[in-house]
Amino acid sequence: MNLHKKVSTLSKEDLVELVMDLVKGDENVKQKVEYKLLTPNDEVKASKQLIRKYINAYKRQGFISRGNVYAALKGAELVLQKGREKLVSGEEETAVHLGIAILSIVVEMLQFADDSNGEIGYIINESTTLIRDGSSLVLLSSDHHKQDSIFQLILKEAMHKRYDDWSDFRHELLDVCTVYSARSSARQMLEKTLDKLLTQASTISSWSSSYDQTILKELQFKILERNGELEEANQFINQNLEFENFREMAIEKAIENADFSFAVKLCEDGENNDIKYLGLVKKWKQYRLQVYEAQDEVEKQKEILLEFVYDNEYDAYGRLKDLYPAEKWKTVVEEIFEVLENKSDHLPYVYEYMAKAENRGDKLLKYCKESPMTITELYPYLTDDYPDELNQLFTEYIRREAERATDRKMYRNVCRKLKIYQKACGESIFQEMVNELKQTYQRKPAFVNELDKIK
C-alpha cells in the first residue's frame, strides 16, 4: 500500500481526526505536532523548552549515560530540522536564532553526558553549520539592520562563558562572524574582540594557549583575505612567522614565487626557533628539501635525506639512493649501515628495510640476532647463505618462547612458530625440536597435547 498516496486523498476533516487520534495515543506525537504549530513569536523560546525537556527526561542523578544521549538529543534534532526548513522558506534570521538556541544548550550537555559516540559533537557541528548557512543568506539581503542584529547575536554567543572550556566552538562562531566583516561596524567589533582574546591567551603559558593564539591569528588573517586586502595579508603573514601555519604559508608563497633564497631562510630560521619541537624541525627540513629539489641542488638534498635516514625515515632511503650512481652507492650504503650499527644499542627499523632492499643477508642476520622475534619473518633472506646461523637463532628463539609459555593459548602460539620453523629449517630438524620440547615439558600435558596436533 502506498500510504502517502492514500493519506493525501483524505478530506480535511478526516486528516484532523486522524492527527487528533495520534496525538491522544502518543505523548511524543503530541509534542511534535504542537511544535510544528508554533507561531514565529514564540518558537525560539518553545524550541529551547523542547530541547531542555528531552535532556532533563534522560538525566539520571544529574548525568546522561552514553546509551541515553541519542534519545536526550531528540528535541535538538527536531529544532535542527525546523531550522533547516526555515532556510528553505527564506526565514534565515529565525534559522540562525534556532541554531544558537541548539548550540547554547547542547554545548553545556558535554559537562554532564557521556559523548563517547560523538552524538553531541554531531549536533554541535550541525547547529554551527545552520548558523553559518543562515548568515550567508542574511548577507544576501539588503537589510543592514538585520545583518547587524544577527552579527551581534552570534558574537555575543561566542563570548559567553560557556565556551571558556570549549574554545574550539567559540572559534567556530567567531569564524562565522568573519563573513560579516565587510561591514565596517561589524569588523571593528570583531577585531576588538579578537585582540582582547589574544591578549588574554598571551598571558597564559600552555599548549592550549599557543593553540588559541594560532587560531585567533588565523581569524584576523581571514578578515584581511575576505576583504581583498592582499598586501596587508602578506604583511600579516611575515609579522607572525612565530606561528607554524604562517611560517608554512610564507614558505609556500616563496616557493611559488621562485624566491628560493628567502624560502631557505624561512626554513632555517624555523629550524633554529623550533629546535625544542622535533616535529616542527622536521617539517621545516622537508620544506628545505623541497626547495633544493626545485633548485636541483643535489648535494644539499643528499645532506637532508641522509639525516632523515638516520632518523629512521625509510622513505628517504630510496630517494637518497636515486641521487647516487650505482658504484658510488655501494660505498655510501656501507657507511650508512655502519653509522646505524654504532648509533645506539638498538638497530632501527630503517636498518631492516634497507637490508631487505639491498638483499643483504649479512645485515639481516645481524638484525635478527638483536631482535630474535623477527626471525619468523626474515628467515627467507637467510636460508640460502646462512642455514646454520638461521637454525641456531630459530632454535634458541623457540626454546625461549616455550620456556615462557604458561597456558594453552601460549602453547598454541609456540606451535604456530614451530610451523614456521619447519618451513625455514626443514622437516628433520623440526621433528627433533618437537621431540625435544615433548621431553622437556612432559609434565605439562596441555603443552604436549598441542605439540601432538602439529603435522
Side-chain angles (χ1 to χ4, degrees):
M1 177 188 293
N2 188 329
L3 190 59
H4 184 275
K5 185 175 181 180
K6 291 285 187 181
V7 170
S8 65
T9 63
L10 295 176
S11 66
K12 182 178 179 181
E13 291 76 13
D14 288 339
L15 285 171
V16 170
E17 185 177 349
L18 175 62
V19 170
M20 294 309 298
D21 286 341
L22 291 170
V23 165
K24 291 175 184 176
D26 191 324
E27 182 64 25
N28 286 331
V29 173
K30 180 181 178 182
Q31 290 177 354
K32 290 180 183 179
V33 172
E34 289 176 343
Y35 186 58
K36 282 282 187 182
L37 299 176
L38 288 170
T39 62
N41 291 332
D42 58 14
E43 60 188 335
V44 174
K45 180 180 178 182
S47 294
K48 291 181 178 180
Q49 292 173 345
L50 181 66
I51 295 169
R52 290 195 176 99
K53 183 174 183 179
Y54 275 93
I55 291 173
N56 291 332
Y58 289 93
K59 271 188 182 181
R60 300 292 182 270
Q61 297 180 330
F63 186 78
I64 301 176
S65 64
R66 182 176 63 178
N68 284 329
V69 169
Y70 179 80
L73 289 170
K74 183 60 179 176
E77 282 276 14
L78 289 171
V79 177
L80 188 58
Q81 181 181 347
K82 171 163 276 198
R84 290 166 179 155
E85 292 170 357
K86 293 294 182 182
L87 288 180
V88 174
S89 64
E91 300 173 74
E92 57 272 5
E93 189 174 5
T94 303
V96 173
H97 277 276
L98 293 176
I100 288 179
I102 302 166
L103 189 64
S104 62
I105 298 172
V106 173
V107 163
E108 293 181 347
M109 270 185 75
L110 292 167
Q111 305 285 1
F112 55 82
D114 181 350
D115 193 37
S116 300
N117 293 333
E119 291 155 335
I120 297 175
Y122 170 78
I123 294 295
I124 289 173
N125 289 337
E126 289 298 301
S127 58
T128 304
T129 299
L130 178 62
I131 295 167
R132 189 182 300 278
D133 292 344
S135 292
S136 297
L137 294 174
V138 166
L139 286 167
L140 293 177
S141 74
S142 57
D143 189 338
H144 294 166
H145 175 73
K146 180 197 293 188
Q147 293 173 0
D148 288 340
S149 175
I150 293 297
F151 166 76
Q152 291 178 36
L153 176 72
I154 300 170
L155 185 61
K156 181 180 178 182
E157 178 64 24
M159 295 307 294
H160 195 282
K161 64 181 181 180
R162 69 172 63 92
Y163 300 103
D164 287 350
D165 295 325
W166 306 100
S167 61
D168 279 347
F169 305 139
R170 169 175 285 155
H171 298 153
E172 286 292 329
L173 288 172
L174 291 171
D175 187 44
V176 176
C177 287
T178 64
V179 305
Y180 293 89
S181 63
R183 294 184 54 76
S184 59
S185 57
R187 177 172 178 172
Q188 288 174 10
M189 290 180 64
L190 179 57
E191 289 180 332
K192 184 177 179 180
T193 300
L194 294 175
D195 285 337
K196 178 182 177 182
L197 290 172
L198 275 166
T199 300
Q200 292 174 352
S202 64
T203 61
I204 304 170
S205 179
S206 68
W207 177 88
S208 61
S209 172
S210 298
Y211 172 77
D212 286 343
Q213 289 182 68
T214 299
I215 301 300
L216 293 168
K217 285 288 183 179
E218 288 176 357
L219 291 174
Q220 289 180 324
F221 178 70
K222 184 170 284 189
I223 292 172
L224 296 172
E225 279 197 318
R226 284 192 181 280
N227 288 280
E229 299 170 13
L230 301 183
E231 185 176 343
E232 290 82 355
N234 288 333
Q235 291 175 359
F236 189 86
I237 291 173
N238 292 326
Q239 290 166 358
N240 291 280
L241 294 175
E242 70 270 26
F243 297 100
E244 175 187 350
N245 290 355
F246 289 103
R247 184 173 295 276
E248 194 167 358
M249 281 190 279
I251 293 171
E252 290 179 353
K253 193 167 190 65
I255 294 174
E256 183 183 340
N257 294 333
D259 190 353
F260 298 128
S261 59
F262 184 50
V264 168
K265 184 180 186 306
L266 288 168
C267 293
E268 291 176 338
D269 287 348
E271 292 168 41
N272 293 328
N273 295 340
D274 299 320
I275 196 168
K276 295 180 181 178
Y277 308 100
L278 297 181
L280 282 181
V281 170
K282 182 178 176 182
K283 174 185 277 192
W284 307 138
K285 285 184 179 179
Q286 287 172 332
Y287 270 115
R288 190 152 55 91
L289 177 61
Q290 187 178 331
V291 175
Y292 294 150
E293 287 172 339
Q295 293 180 295
D296 201 25
E297 291 272 9
V298 175
E299 294 305 315
K300 291 181 178 179
Q301 291 178 54
K302 289 177 182 178
E303 290 176 14
I304 295 181
L305 287 170
L306 188 58
E307 286 185 46
F308 288 168
V309 170
Y310 290 147
D311 197 34
N312 206 24
E313 287 287 321
Y314 61 87
D315 285 340
Y317 150 76
R319 295 170 67 184
L320 180 62
K321 183 176 181 178
D322 289 342
L323 296 177
Y324 284 93
E327 287 303 314
K328 176 64 175 175
W329 176 247
K330 291 180 182 179
T331 304
V332 172
V333 76
E334 288 299 332
E335 293 173 355
I336 295 174
F337 277 129
E338 184 177 353
V339 170
L340 290 173
E341 288 166 2
N342 297 317
K343 189 178 180 183
S344 69
D345 295 334
H346 176 71
L347 292 174
Y349 173 69
V350 71
Y351 186 93
E352 177 197 342
Y353 181 86
M354 287 176 54
K356 287 194 290 187
E358 297 290 331
N359 198 24
R360 292 291 299 271
D362 58 327
K363 299 302 180 183
L364 288 169
L365 180 62
K366 186 177 186 68
Y367 191 79
C368 288
K369 286 180 179 179
E370 183 179 290
S371 304
M373 64 182 298
T374 61
I375 196 70
T376 58
E377 296 178 6
L378 299 179
Y379 73 87
Y381 296 91
L382 306 176
T383 51
D384 292 338
D385 297 328
Y386 302 97
D388 295 338
E389 292 89 341
L390 171 62
N391 178 46
Q392 182 181 350
L393 279 171
F394 229 132
T395 300
E396 291 173 356
Y397 176 61
I398 293 291
R399 285 171 180 161
R400 278 196 299 272
E401 290 297 293
E403 188 177 345
R404 293 170 183 166
T406 56
D407 57 37
R408 191 173 286 271
K409 181 179 179 181
M410 297 177 76
Y411 301 150
R412 288 172 182 161
N413 188 42
V414 172
C415 291
R416 280 193 291 270
K417 290 170 181 176
L418 275 167
K419 294 291 288 182
I420 301 173
Y421 178 68
Q422 183 180 24
K423 292 179 183 178
C425 298
E427 184 67 27
S428 61
I429 295 177
F430 159 73
Q431 287 295 343
E432 289 177 10
M433 174 58 70
V434 172
N435 292 333
E436 176 189 320
L437 293 176
K438 285 182 179 179
Q439 181 66 31
T440 303
Y441 298 101
Q442 57 183 310
R443 294 186 179 181
K444 292 185 176 182
F447 196 180
V448 174
N449 177 253
E450 292 299 326
L451 290 168
D452 284 335
K453 295 177 182 178
I454 304 176
K455 296 182 180 179

